[in-house]
Amino acid sequence: ETIINQIAAGEVIERPASVVKELVENAIDAGATRIEIVTAGGGKNLIRVTDNGGGIPADELTLAVSRHCTSKLTDDVHDIRALGFRGEALPSIGSVARLSIKSRTTDADSGYEVVVRGGHLEGPRPTAINRGTIVEVSDLFYATPARLKFMKTDRAESTAITEVVKRIAISFPQIRFSIAGTDRSPLELPATCSAGETVTETAMLERISQVLGADFSENALALDSEREGVRLTGFTAIPSFNRANSLHQFAYINGRPVRDKQVFGALRGAYSDVIARDRHPVGVLFLQLDPSHVDVNVHPAKADVRFRDPGLVRGLIVGTIRHALAQSGI
Ligand code: ADP
Ligand code: MG
């Protein structure tokens, strides 16, 4: 069992930033409106994610760290609305680190904690905590020294963590994110609209400015179009700085961050006539489409996608951006 989890961990958990991604996505799935991330040693020594979401009932805490136990599966594997769905993240993390989960639901009279170390489970036992969940991961990869060797400097791992959080934060402006730690300057992303409210273009642009800087939003073209059930919204701009790269390109499918070559290729293609070859357009693209028209299940890390009609998606992106460029006289 521990070995199976360690193999699974090899696919899901490559570095501290992958742990942060999984924990933050779980917090979002739990309906959190505040998510706080604290790290030490680039996340190798400590990652702590605190949320104010719905929490995990005491009798489900043990299940949460068991393989393939997810509370999120629907009947149709394509119809995935939650960010997580495989029930792999927590057991994988528990097999390569010390994992502690403290959680308390709204109606519980106490919180509970479980600890996993070396595949061995302790708890649940009562613990003091406010409503929500605190997941603490320490000594990442202590049992798999070969992996530790591939880790970069604390600073580089910290930067990767920040990038992951920024990428997720862009599509959730109603959530407040904060990151702090020993090897970084703290980052605060206050919510730009309230939970439950529909996210306006203004709220979205404000969150994007927090992440990409005010000069992006001042120069950004707003996109909003639809073709055959695929909707594209978002913003693009020619960067005012020369070193913009693919780190300044963000794509989301039904709210889920993806790093998809086809989507980024279409963004570059749309700008090919107006931008030098060695420069990259900056952009945040949100695609909304029927879940049966896209397969986000191709890889456990869930970054790749397969569209049923790739030509339609590319045409929509290129066409919409070129139209917006023409309208603005660029
Ligand atoms: P998945 O997200 O694919 O379901 P995980 O291993 O990431 O699998 O999490 C297992 C389960 O633990 C989730 O389905 C959820 O029920 C519960 N869980 C994990 N993190 C949280 C959290 N922060 N708040 C509430 N429930 C959580
Ligand atoms: Mg998950």
Side-chain angles (χ1 to χ4, degrees):
E1 174 77 7
T2 306
I3 299 286
I4 292 173
N5 286 337
Q6 281 182 0
I7 292 167
E11 290 192 56
V12 185
I13 308 301
E14 286 174 343
R15 57 195 300 194
S18 359
V19 173
V20 171
K21 171 179 179 289
E22 295 294 336
L23 301 185
V24 169
E25 288 185 346
N26 281 347
I28 293 171
D29 285 343
T33 56
R34 300 176 78 106
I35 301 176
E36 186 188 294
I37 300 123
V38 174
T39 66
K44 290 171 274 181
N45 301 344
L46 173 76
I47 295 166
R48 183 168 61 232
V49 176
T50 304
D51 72 60
N52 65 348
I56 310 172
D59 57 337
E60 284 175 25
L61 266 177
T62 309
L63 285 177
V65 293
S66 313
R67 199 164 160 67
H68 296 309
C69 273
T70 174
S71 59
K72 303 167 195 169
L73 268 188
T74 58
D75 300 343
D76 180 357
V77 286
H78 293 291
D79 183 17
I80 294 151
R81 278 162 228 282
L83 296 169
F85 56 89
R86 287 169 173 268
E88 249 171 32
L90 293 181
S92 298
I93 294 167
S95 74
V96 294
R98 179 187 183 277
L99 169 68
S100 142
I101 306 176
K102 297 189 175 105
S103 196
R104 178 172 180 171
T105 57
T106 313
D107 35 328
D109 48 7
S110 160
Y112 287 86
E113 174 177 24
V114 287
V115 176
V116 184
R117 197 191 161 89
H120 181 77
L121 178 94
E122 291 164 33
R125 57 177 173 243
T127 188
I129 176 183
N130 292 326
R131 186 194 107 131
T133 302
I134 305 175
V135 181
E136 211 172 274
V137 176
S138 42
D139 303 328
L140 185 60
F141 300 130
Y142 74 95
T144 45
R147 287 229 141 227
L148 256 189
K149 277 201 296 216
F150 286 100
M151 295 301 110
K152 306 213 172 90
T153 60
D154 291 1
R155 220 190 144 70
E157 293 300 339
S158 281
T159 304
I161 289 171
T162 305
E163 292 307 325
V164 158
V165 175
K166 283 180 174 175
R167 206 184 304 153
I168 298 174
I170 282 183
S171 67
F172 295 96
Q174 66 278 37
I175 301 177
R176 176 190 184 94
F177 293 86
S178 68
I179 321 181
T182 50
D183 31 34
R184 67 170 70 251
S185 39
L187 176 72
E188 293 277 347
L189 304 174
T192 62
C193 59
S194 45
E197 181 180 288
T198 22
V199 177
T200 61
E201 197 176 285
T202 318
M204 198 51 95
L205 199 53
E206 210 177 314
R207 169 53 57 86
I208 294 169
S209 304
Q210 293 172 346
V211 173
L212 287 176
D215 64 329
F216 171 78
S217 26
E218 279 153 23
N219 297 303
L221 298 174
L223 312 173
D224 191 348
S225 65
E226 190 174 336
R227 200 179 283 179
E228 292 172 48
V230 184
R231 174 136 188 253
L232 170 69
T233 52
F235 305 89
T236 60
I238 297 175
S240 55
F241 44 97
N242 276 319
R243 292 214 314 281
N245 55 36
S246 56
L247 279 181
H248 303 93
Q249 298 175 340
F250 300 82
Y252 302 84
I253 293 171
N254 295 338
R256 179 194 300 271
V258 293
R259 302 206 57 74
D260 183 75
K261 286 199 182 67
Q262 308 162 79
V263 173
F264 291 134
L267 171 60
R268 248 189 335 274
Y271 272 91
S272 59
D273 291 343
V274 293
I275 199 169
R277 275 187 154 272
D278 58 340
R279 296 185 69 187
H280 293 266
V282 182
V284 180
L285 305 179
F286 300 100
L287 286 163
Q288 216 82 43
L289 69 169
D290 190 292
S292 69
H293 286 254
V294 60
D295 186 4
V296 288
N297 218 346
V298 213
H299 187 269
K302 294 170 286 191
D304 291 313
V305 292
R306 196 170 291 149
F307 295 107
R308 186 176 285 181
D309 188 348
L312 170 68
V313 173
R314 185 182 166 88
L316 177 67
I317 296 172
V318 174
T320 308
I321 295 175
R322 291 218 166 134
H323 180 74
L325 284 170
Q327 296 256 298
S328 72
I330 296 174

